[in-house]
Amino acid sequence: MKAPAIIIVLLFGSLLVYTTRDFPSWGDPAAPASMHVSPRYIERTMAETSVPNMVTAVLADYRGYDTLFETIVIFSAGVACLFLLRIFRRTEPESRMYRHLPTGITLRIAKGAAPPRESAEFERIDLMWVPYDLVVKTTCRLIVPFSQLFALYVIAHGHHSPGGGFQGGVILGASIILYAISHNMRASLAWIDERLAVLLCGLGVFIYAGTGAICILLGSNYLDYGALSALLGVDTVAARSHGILMVEIGVGITVMAVMVHLYYSLASAGRHDEGL
C-alpha cells in the first residue's frame, strides 16, 4: 500500500499547492479579512470588552465557540491517550533500587527480599538509575515555584498582555514535569496523581462550558459574557472582560492536566510507577 499512499499524498498535496494561487498576498490590505473582520476588531474591541489584547478578545469572546471546542479537542486527546497508553494491570518489578542518602550508595533489592523501611535515610529510585545530583535537584526545586507563579500570571493577565490559558497551562504543566524529571515520578504522583490529573482535565472544560451555561441562565446567549454583569455587579463591558478571564482559567487547567497525564503515560510506558 506504500505506492498508492504516496500517489494519493502527492495528488492532494499538488492540489493544495495549486489552490494557494487564489489566496491574497501576505499582508495585503485589500484582502477580505483586512477589509471587513480586522477593522471591526481593531476599532471596537476595547470599547466592547475592555480588553487591550485583541488576540485574546477574539479567541475567548468573539469566537468563543471555536476556542471551547479546541479545549474539548485537547480533553478528548487526553482521554484517548489514557485508554490507548495506560496499562491498568499491575506487575511487580523483578527488583527495586534504593539510594542511601548519607553515603550515596545504591542498593538493588531482589524481588521477594525485604526493602528498607521508610525512613529519611533511604530513597527509592528508578530502575533506570540516574546519578544523584544535589545541584540539579535543588535548582529545580527553586525554579518550580517561580515557574508556576509566572504561569498563573500569564493566565490571569492574558487578556491584558501577551498570554492566556493555553500558554499559561503549558508553563504550569512544564513546571510539574520538571519536578518529576529532577526528582522522580513517584514524587510528582504524590503531588498530582493520575486521578487528580483526569479530574482536572474535565474540570477545565466544565468551567469553560459552565460559564456559557450561566449566561443562558441569566437570560442571554451562550458565552455572552455581558450577562454576567448582574452576577458580578459590574457593567456589561467589564463583565465581558471577567468572562474572558473565567474561560481562560478553564483552558489553563485542561492544558496543564493533559500535559501532565501524557507525560506520566509516556515516561512510564503506561504503568505510572516509575520513568523519566
Side-chain angles (χ1 to χ4, degrees):
M1 298 295 294
K2 291 183 178 180
I6 293 176
I7 294 174
I8 293 173
V9 169
L10 291 177
L11 289 176
F12 276 93
S14 301
L15 179 62
L16 292 175
V17 172
Y18 174 76
T19 56
T20 58
R21 298 175 54 189
D22 297 330
F23 285 5
S25 301
W26 179 260
D28 185 5
S34 301
M35 295 294 292
H36 173 65
V37 180
S38 297
R40 170 69 167 72
Y41 295 150
I42 294 172
E43 294 171 1
R44 306 187 63 176
T45 292
M46 189 65 184
E48 293 179 347
T49 65
S50 185
V51 173
N53 189 347
M54 288 180 289
V55 175
T56 302
V58 172
L59 293 177
D61 191 341
Y62 291 113
R63 51 159 241 182
Y65 282 90
D66 188 21
T67 306
L68 170 61
F69 285 106
E70 288 178 3
T71 308
I72 294 176
V73 166
I74 295 175
F75 168 76
S76 302
V79 173
C81 291
L82 168 65
F83 288 106
L84 292 175
L85 301 177
R86 186 70 167 95
I87 298 177
F88 295 96
R89 184 177 64 257
R90 293 186 175 273
T91 56
E92 290 294 328
E94 293 296 329
S95 60
R96 290 184 176 181
M97 296 186 67
Y98 292 84
R99 179 185 292 114
H100 187 236
L101 297 178
T103 62
I105 297 175
T106 302
L107 304 177
R108 181 182 290 270
I109 308 299
K111 186 176 181 179
R117 294 181 179 180
E118 295 292 336
S119 66
E121 296 184 356
F122 288 94
E123 176 189 29
R124 183 186 168 188
I125 59 178
D126 294 345
L127 292 176
M128 297 178 59
W129 183 75
V130 177
Y132 178 75
D133 195 320
L134 179 63
V135 175
V136 173
K137 192 172 183 178
T138 304
T139 302
C140 290
R141 289 184 63 183
L142 295 174
I143 292 176
V144 167
F146 291 100
S147 300
Q148 294 178 340
L149 183 62
F150 179 66
L152 297 178
Y153 172 84
V154 170
I155 295 175
H157 292 263
H159 53 312
H160 290 280
S161 60
F166 290 102
Q167 297 86 342
V170 168
I171 298 173
L172 193 58
S175 67
I176 299 173
I177 294 174
L178 176 63
Y179 181 80
I181 293 175
S182 60
H183 290 66
N184 54 64
M185 184 175 292
R186 288 177 301 280
S188 180
L189 285 170
W191 189 14
I192 298 182
D193 60 5
E194 180 185 11
R195 293 182 180 179
L196 180 57
V198 174
L199 177 63
L200 292 175
C201 288
L203 177 62
V205 177
F206 178 79
I207 292 175
Y208 200 137
T211 302
I214 293 175
C215 297
I216 294 180
L217 295 177
L218 293 174
S220 185
N221 296 323
Y222 191 74
L223 293 178
D224 184 3
Y225 310 130
L228 299 175
S229 59
L231 186 64
L232 301 176
V234 295
D235 57 41
T236 56
V237 175
R240 293 183 70 174
S241 176
H242 296 331
I244 292 174
L245 175 60
M246 293 168 63
V247 300
E248 291 284 1
I249 292 174
V251 172
I253 293 175
T254 297
V255 171
M256 178 273 295
V258 170
M259 277 189 60
V260 172
H261 193 275
L262 285 178
Y263 169 78
Y264 287 161
S265 298
L266 293 174
S268 64
R271 286 185 287 269
H272 287 208
D273 51 355
E274 61 180 40
L276 296 174

PDB file of all heavy atoms in Angstrom, residues 211-236:
ATOM      1  N   THR A 211     -19.454  28.458  32.203  1.00  0.00           N
ATOM      2  CA  THR A 211     -19.567  29.907  32.088  1.00  0.00           C
ATOM      3  C   THR A 211     -20.607  30.284  31.046  1.00  0.00           C
ATOM      4  O   THR A 211     -21.417  31.196  31.244  1.00  0.00           O
ATOM      5  CB  THR A 211     -18.202  30.519  31.722  1.00  0.00           C
ATOM      6  OG1 THR A 211     -17.240  30.168  32.729  1.00  0.00           O
ATOM      7  CG2 THR A 211     -18.287  32.031  31.637  1.00  0.00           C
ATOM      8  N   GLY A 212     -20.597  29.581  29.914  1.00  0.00           N
ATOM      9  CA  GLY A 212     -21.617  29.832  28.903  1.00  0.00           C
ATOM     10  C   GLY A 212     -23.008  29.462  29.375  1.00  0.00           C
ATOM     11  O   GLY A 212     -23.988  30.157  29.068  1.00  0.00           O
ATOM     12  N   ALA A 213     -23.111  28.378  30.158  1.00  0.00           N
ATOM     13  CA  ALA A 213     -24.423  27.970  30.672  1.00  0.00           C
ATOM     14  C   ALA A 213     -24.978  29.006  31.647  1.00  0.00           C
ATOM     15  O   ALA A 213     -26.192  29.261  31.675  1.00  0.00           O
ATOM     16  CB  ALA A 213     -24.308  26.605  31.349  1.00  0.00           C
ATOM     17  N   ILE A 214     -24.100  29.608  32.435  1.00  0.00           N
ATOM     18  CA  ILE A 214     -24.548  30.652  33.358  1.00  0.00           C
ATOM     19  C   ILE A 214     -25.118  31.842  32.582  1.00  0.00           C
ATOM     20  O   ILE A 214     -26.114  32.449  33.000  1.00  0.00           O
ATOM     21  CB  ILE A 214     -23.389  31.092  34.272  1.00  0.00           C
ATOM     22  CG1 ILE A 214     -23.004  29.950  35.215  1.00  0.00           C
ATOM     23  CG2 ILE A 214     -23.767  32.320  35.080  1.00  0.00           C
ATOM     24  CD1 ILE A 214     -21.787  30.247  36.065  1.00  0.00           C
ATOM     25  N   CYS A 215     -24.498  32.166  31.463  1.00  0.00           N
ATOM     26  CA  CYS A 215     -25.016  33.258  30.640  1.00  0.00           C
ATOM     27  C   CYS A 215     -26.437  32.964  30.161  1.00  0.00           C
ATOM     28  O   CYS A 215     -27.291  33.853  30.110  1.00  0.00           O
ATOM     29  CB  CYS A 215     -24.087  33.499  29.446  1.00  0.00           C
ATOM     30  SG  CYS A 215     -22.419  34.041  29.891  1.00  0.00           S
ATOM     31  N   ILE A 216     -26.718  31.698  29.816  1.00  0.00           N
ATOM     32  CA  ILE A 216     -28.070  31.326  29.393  1.00  0.00           C
ATOM     33  C   ILE A 216     -29.044  31.456  30.557  1.00  0.00           C
ATOM     34  O   ILE A 216     -30.159  31.962  30.413  1.00  0.00           O
ATOM     35  CB  ILE A 216     -28.081  29.899  28.831  1.00  0.00           C
ATOM     36  CG1 ILE A 216     -27.273  29.829  27.529  1.00  0.00           C
ATOM     37  CG2 ILE A 216     -29.506  29.420  28.586  1.00  0.00           C
ATOM     38  CD1 ILE A 216     -27.222  28.456  26.905  1.00  0.00           C
ATOM     39  N   LEU A 217     -28.626  31.004  31.742  1.00  0.00           N
ATOM     40  CA  LEU A 217     -29.493  31.085  32.913  1.00  0.00           C
ATOM     41  C   LEU A 217     -29.817  32.526  33.289  1.00  0.00           C
ATOM     42  O   LEU A 217     -30.865  32.790  33.896  1.00  0.00           O
ATOM     43  CB  LEU A 217     -28.834  30.372  34.103  1.00  0.00           C
ATOM     44  CG  LEU A 217     -28.649  28.859  33.962  1.00  0.00           C
ATOM     45  CD1 LEU A 217     -27.922  28.296  35.167  1.00  0.00           C
ATOM     46  CD2 LEU A 217     -29.990  28.163  33.782  1.00  0.00           C
ATOM     47  N   LEU A 218     -28.915  33.432  32.924  1.00  0.00           N
ATOM     48  CA  LEU A 218     -29.142  34.848  33.217  1.00  0.00           C
ATOM     49  C   LEU A 218     -29.919  35.542  32.105  1.00  0.00           C
ATOM     50  O   LEU A 218     -30.052  36.767  32.109  1.00  0.00           O
ATOM     51  CB  LEU A 218     -27.801  35.554  33.450  1.00  0.00           C
ATOM     52  CG  LEU A 218     -27.043  35.108  34.709  1.00  0.00           C
ATOM     53  CD1 LEU A 218     -25.663  35.762  34.773  1.00  0.00           C
ATOM     54  CD2 LEU A 218     -27.839  35.442  35.971  1.00  0.00           C
ATOM     55  N   GLY A 219     -30.407  34.775  31.141  1.00  0.00           N
ATOM     56  CA  GLY A 219     -31.287  35.320  30.124  1.00  0.00           C
ATOM     57  C   GLY A 219     -30.617  35.836  28.884  1.00  0.00           C
ATOM     58  O   GLY A 219     -31.218  36.607  28.133  1.00  0.00           O
ATOM     59  N   SER A 220     -29.382  35.406  28.606  1.00  0.00           N
ATOM     60  CA  SER A 220     -28.673  35.885  27.421  1.00  0.00           C
ATOM     61  C   SER A 220     -28.260  34.687  26.571  1.00  0.00           C
ATOM     62  O   SER A 220     -28.675  33.547  26.818  1.00  0.00           O
ATOM     63  CB  SER A 220     -27.458  36.713  27.823  1.00  0.00           C
ATOM     64  OG  SER A 220     -26.821  37.276  26.682  1.00  0.00           O
ATOM     65  N   ASN A 221     -27.444  34.946  25.571  1.00  0.00           N
ATOM     66  CA  ASN A 221     -26.958  33.883  24.698  1.00  0.00           C
ATOM     67  C   ASN A 221     -25.791  33.138  25.345  1.00  0.00           C
ATOM     68  O   ASN A 221     -25.147  33.638  26.278  1.00  0.00           O
ATOM     69  CB  ASN A 221     -26.521  34.459  23.348  1.00  0.00           C
ATOM     70  CG  ASN A 221     -27.663  35.076  22.588  1.00  0.00           C
ATOM     71  OD1 ASN A 221     -28.782  34.572  22.619  1.00  0.00           O
ATOM     72  ND2 ASN A 221     -27.393  36.184  21.896  1.00  0.00           N
ATOM     73  N   TYR A 222     -25.516  31.958  24.793  1.00  0.00           N
ATOM     74  CA  TYR A 222     -24.413  31.147  25.295  1.00  0.00           C
ATOM     75  C   TYR A 222     -23.084  31.869  25.058  1.00  0.00           C
ATOM     76  O   TYR A 222     -22.811  32.353  23.956  1.00  0.00           O
ATOM     77  CB  TYR A 222     -24.413  29.786  24.598  1.00  0.00           C
ATOM     78  CG  TYR A 222     -23.482  28.783  25.219  1.00  0.00           C
ATOM     79  CD1 TYR A 222     -23.794  28.176  26.425  1.00  0.00           C
ATOM     80  CD2 TYR A 222     -22.286  28.439  24.596  1.00  0.00           C
ATOM     81  CE1 TYR A 222     -22.951  27.244  26.997  1.00  0.00           C
ATOM     82  CE2 TYR A 222     -21.441  27.504  25.156  1.00  0.00           C
ATOM     83  CZ  TYR A 222     -21.771  26.911  26.371  1.00  0.00           C
ATOM     84  OH  TYR A 222     -20.921  25.990  26.937  1.00  0.00           O
ATOM     85  N   LEU A 223     -22.250  31.961  26.098  1.00  0.00           N
ATOM     86  CA  LEU A 223     -20.952  32.628  26.076  1.00  0.00           C
ATOM     87  C   LEU A 223     -21.068  34.128  25.811  1.00  0.00           C
ATOM     88  O   LEU A 223     -20.098  34.744  25.385  1.00  0.00           O
ATOM     89  CB  LEU A 223     -20.006  31.989  25.044  1.00  0.00           C
ATOM     90  CG  LEU A 223     -19.548  30.550  25.343  1.00  0.00           C
ATOM     91  CD1 LEU A 223     -18.654  30.033  24.220  1.00  0.00           C
ATOM     92  CD2 LEU A 223     -18.826  30.473  26.670  1.00  0.00           C
ATOM     93  N   ASP A 224     -22.212  34.707  26.070  1.00  0.00           N
ATOM     94  CA  ASP A 224     -22.363  36.161  26.005  1.00  0.00           C
ATOM     95  C   ASP A 224     -22.077  36.707  27.402  1.00  0.00           C
ATOM     96  O   ASP A 224     -22.965  36.824  28.246  1.00  0.00           O
ATOM     97  CB  ASP A 224     -23.773  36.544  25.556  1.00  0.00           C
ATOM     98  CG  ASP A 224     -23.944  38.040  25.378  1.00  0.00           C
ATOM     99  OD1 ASP A 224     -22.951  38.779  25.552  1.00  0.00           O
ATOM    100  OD2 ASP A 224     -25.061  38.483  25.070  1.00  0.00           O
ATOM    101  N   TYR A 225     -20.801  37.021  27.649  1.00  0.00           N
ATOM    102  CA  TYR A 225     -20.358  37.343  28.994  1.00  0.00           C
ATOM    103  C   TYR A 225     -20.990  38.613  29.551  1.00  0.00           C
ATOM    104  O   TYR A 225     -20.907  38.856  30.752  1.00  0.00           O
ATOM    105  CB  TYR A 225     -18.836  37.495  29.020  1.00  0.00           C
ATOM    106  CG  TYR A 225     -18.095  36.360  28.381  1.00  0.00           C
ATOM    107  CD1 TYR A 225     -17.106  36.583  27.424  1.00  0.00           C
ATOM    108  CD2 TYR A 225     -18.367  35.038  28.725  1.00  0.00           C
ATOM    109  CE1 TYR A 225     -16.418  35.541  26.832  1.00  0.00           C
ATOM    110  CE2 TYR A 225     -17.692  33.984  28.140  1.00  0.00           C
ATOM    111  CZ  TYR A 225     -16.716  34.249  27.191  1.00  0.00           C
ATOM    112  OH  TYR A 225     -16.041  33.212  26.611  1.00  0.00           O
ATOM    113  N   GLY A 226     -21.587  39.424  28.709  1.00  0.00           N
ATOM    114  CA  GLY A 226     -22.229  40.624  29.212  1.00  0.00           C
ATOM    115  C   GLY A 226     -23.322  40.331  30.218  1.00  0.00           C
ATOM    116  O   GLY A 226     -23.616  41.159  31.089  1.00  0.00           O
ATOM    117  N   ALA A 227     -23.926  39.148  30.131  1.00  0.00           N
ATOM    118  CA  ALA A 227     -24.991  38.773  31.071  1.00  0.00           C
ATOM    119  C   ALA A 227     -24.464  38.586  32.482  1.00  0.00           C
ATOM    120  O   ALA A 227     -25.243  38.634  33.449  1.00  0.00           O
ATOM    121  CB  ALA A 227     -25.672  37.490  30.599  1.00  0.00           C
ATOM    122  N   LEU A 228     -23.157  38.384  32.628  1.00  0.00           N
ATOM    123  CA  LEU A 228     -22.583  38.188  33.956  1.00  0.00           C
ATOM    124  C   LEU A 228     -22.560  39.465  34.779  1.00  0.00           C
ATOM    125  O   LEU A 228     -22.207  39.428  35.964  1.00  0.00           O
ATOM    126  CB  LEU A 228     -21.153  37.640  33.821  1.00  0.00           C
ATOM    127  CG  LEU A 228     -21.000  36.279  33.109  1.00  0.00           C
ATOM    128  CD1 LEU A 228     -19.533  35.945  32.942  1.00  0.00           C
ATOM    129  CD2 LEU A 228     -21.729  35.181  33.874  1.00  0.00           C
ATOM    130  N   SER A 229     -22.899  40.597  34.173  1.00  0.00           N
ATOM    131  CA  SER A 229     -22.870  41.864  34.895  1.00  0.00           C
ATOM    132  C   SER A 229     -23.811  41.835  36.092  1.00  0.00           C
ATOM    133  O   SER A 229     -23.503  42.382  37.154  1.00  0.00           O
ATOM    134  CB  SER A 229     -23.258  43.010  33.950  1.00  0.00           C
ATOM    135  OG  SER A 229     -24.558  42.800  33.404  1.00  0.00           O
ATOM    136  N   ALA A 230     -24.971  41.186  35.953  1.00  0.00           N
ATOM    137  CA  ALA A 230     -25.910  41.107  37.073  1.00  0.00           C
ATOM    138  C   ALA A 230     -25.361  40.250  38.206  1.00  0.00           C
ATOM    139  O   ALA A 230     -25.684  40.481  39.377  1.00  0.00           O
ATOM    140  CB  ALA A 230     -27.240  40.527  36.580  1.00  0.00           C
ATOM    141  N   LEU A 231     -24.530  39.281  37.865  1.00  0.00           N
ATOM    142  CA  LEU A 231     -23.968  38.389  38.880  1.00  0.00           C
ATOM    143  C   LEU A 231     -22.720  38.979  39.531  1.00  0.00           C
ATOM    144  O   LEU A 231     -22.493  38.808  40.733  1.00  0.00           O
ATOM    145  CB  LEU A 231     -23.640  37.036  38.246  1.00  0.00           C
ATOM    146  CG  LEU A 231     -23.167  35.918  39.179  1.00  0.00           C
ATOM    147  CD1 LEU A 231     -24.269  35.549  40.171  1.00  0.00           C
ATOM    148  CD2 LEU A 231     -22.751  34.698  38.378  1.00  0.00           C
ATOM    149  N   LEU A 232     -21.913  39.689  38.745  1.00  0.00           N
ATOM    150  CA  LEU A 232     -20.648  40.238  39.245  1.00  0.00           C
ATOM    151  C   LEU A 232     -20.775  41.655  39.779  1.00  0.00           C
ATOM    152  O   LEU A 232     -19.836  42.160  40.395  1.00  0.00           O
ATOM    153  CB  LEU A 232     -19.599  40.192  38.121  1.00  0.00           C
ATOM    154  CG  LEU A 232     -19.293  38.806  37.542  1.00  0.00           C
ATOM    155  CD1 LEU A 232     -18.320  38.930  36.380  1.00  0.00           C
ATOM    156  CD2 LEU A 232     -18.735  37.887  38.613  1.00  0.00           C
ATOM    157  N   GLY A 233     -21.873  42.323  39.498  1.00  0.00           N
ATOM    158  CA  GLY A 233     -22.067  43.680  39.986  1.00  0.00           C
ATOM    159  C   GLY A 233     -21.256  44.720  39.246  1.00  0.00           C
ATOM    160  O   GLY A 233     -20.865  45.733  39.835  1.00  0.00           O
ATOM    161  N   VAL A 234     -20.988  44.490  37.954  1.00  0.00           N
ATOM    162  CA  VAL A 234     -20.236  45.444  37.131  1.00  0.00           C
ATOM    163  C   VAL A 234     -21.049  45.696  35.862  1.00  0.00           C
ATOM    164  O   VAL A 234     -22.071  45.055  35.610  1.00  0.00           O
ATOM    165  CB  VAL A 234     -18.837  44.901  36.784  1.00  0.00           C
ATOM    166  CG1 VAL A 234     -17.984  44.741  38.040  1.00  0.00           C
ATOM    167  CG2 VAL A 234     -18.933  43.556  36.050  1.00  0.00           C
ATOM    168  N   ASP A 235     -20.565  46.638  35.040  1.00  0.00           N
ATOM    169  CA  ASP A 235     -21.265  46.893  33.788  1.00  0.00           C
ATOM    170  C   ASP A 235     -20.975  45.779  32.783  1.00  0.00           C
ATOM    171  O   ASP A 235     -20.125  44.917  33.010  1.00  0.00           O
ATOM    172  CB  ASP A 235     -20.876  48.259  33.216  1.00  0.00           C
ATOM    173  CG  ASP A 235     -19.371  48.396  33.006  1.00  0.00           C
ATOM    174  OD1 ASP A 235     -18.740  47.433  32.546  1.00  0.00           O
ATOM    175  OD2 ASP A 235     -18.818  49.469  33.326  1.00  0.00           O
ATOM    176  N   THR A 236     -21.669  45.790  31.663  1.00  0.00           N
ATOM    177  CA  THR A 236     -21.558  44.696  30.691  1.00  0.00           C
ATOM    178  C   THR A 236     -20.177  44.620  30.062  1.00  0.00           C
ATOM    179  O   THR A 236     -19.697  43.529  29.734  1.00  0.00           O
ATOM    180  CB  THR A 236     -22.613  44.870  29.590  1.00  0.00           C
ATOM    181  OG1 THR A 236     -22.467  46.162  28.984  1.00  0.00           O
ATOM    182  CG2 THR A 236     -24.021  44.742  30.164  1.00  0.00           C
TER     183      THR A 236
END
